[in-house]
Amino acid sequence: FCSVALDIIGLSIFNYEFGSVTNESPVIKAVYSALVEAEHRSMTPAPYWDLPFANQLVPRLRKFNSDLKLLNDVLDELIDRAKATRNVEDIEDLEQRNYADVK
C-alpha cells in the first residue's frame, strides 16, 4: 500500500517514477534505512556518530551517509527538473488565485 501511495505522489507531484510497486526502489530502501538510523540515534545516549572518523569506520554510519547522499541526489534532481520546467505564468496565476473560495 505504501509503495502505491509513494508512486502516485511521485508521479503526480514530482513527475518522478519511484518504481516501488514493480520492483524494489533504491530510493525507498534509502528512506527506510535513514528512518531506522534516525530512530537508533534518538535512543542512543552517547552520540558516537559525532566522534572523529566514526562516519568512515562504523559500517552503519557509512551506509547511512551513502543513503543520505542518494536521497539528496534524487531531491536535487527533482528540484532542478522543477525549476527547468516551471512556467512563470503559472506562478502568477497561483499568486493571484483567491484561495478563500477554493472548496
Side-chain angles (χ1 to χ4, degrees), residues 66-99:
S66 70
D67 290 340
L68 285 184
K69 181 177 179 347
L70 172 67
L71 294 173
N72 284 329
D73 290 346
V74 169
L75 288 172
D76 289 343
E77 175 189 338
L78 293 174
I79 291 168
D80 290 342
R81 189 184 308 172
K83 286 180 179 178
T85 59
R86 74 179 179 166
N87 188 344
V88 177
E89 294 167 4
D90 291 342
I91 293 171
E92 291 172 359
D93 288 343
L94 290 172
E95 289 173 346
Q96 310 242 341
R97 185 181 294 173
N98 185 357
Y99 288 96

Side-chain angles (χ1 to χ4, degrees), residues 30-86:
V31 168
Y32 287 133
S33 293
L35 290 173
V36 168
E37 179 63 24
E39 179 184 28
H40 172 74
R41 288 182 180 202
S42 72
M43 298 171 55
T44 303
Y48 63 89
W49 50 87
D50 287 336
L51 294 172
F53 303 109
N55 285 305
Q56 290 80 29
L57 297 175
V58 179
R60 87 179 285 135
L61 295 179
R62 286 197 312 262
K63 169 103 173 76
F64 176 66
N65 289 324
S66 70
D67 290 340
L68 285 184
K69 181 177 179 347
L70 172 67
L71 294 173
N72 284 329
D73 290 346
V74 169
L75 288 172
D76 289 343
E77 175 189 338
L78 293 174
I79 291 168
D80 290 342
R81 189 184 308 172
K83 286 180 179 178
T85 59
R86 74 179 179 166

Side-chain angles (χ1 to χ4, degrees), residues 3-54:
S3 296
V4 172
L6 183 66
D7 278 350
I8 290 169
I9 291 168
L11 284 172
S12 61
I13 305 292
F14 301 110
N15 195 25
Y16 183 82
E17 176 68 55
F18 286 104
S20 61
V21 173
T22 55
N23 48 11
E24 207 167 39
S25 169
V27 174
I28 304 307
K29 285 179 163 179
V31 168
Y32 287 133
S33 293
L35 290 173
V36 168
E37 179 63 24
E39 179 184 28
H40 172 74
R41 288 182 180 202
S42 72
M43 298 171 55
T44 303
Y48 63 89
W49 50 87
D50 287 336
L51 294 172
F53 303 109

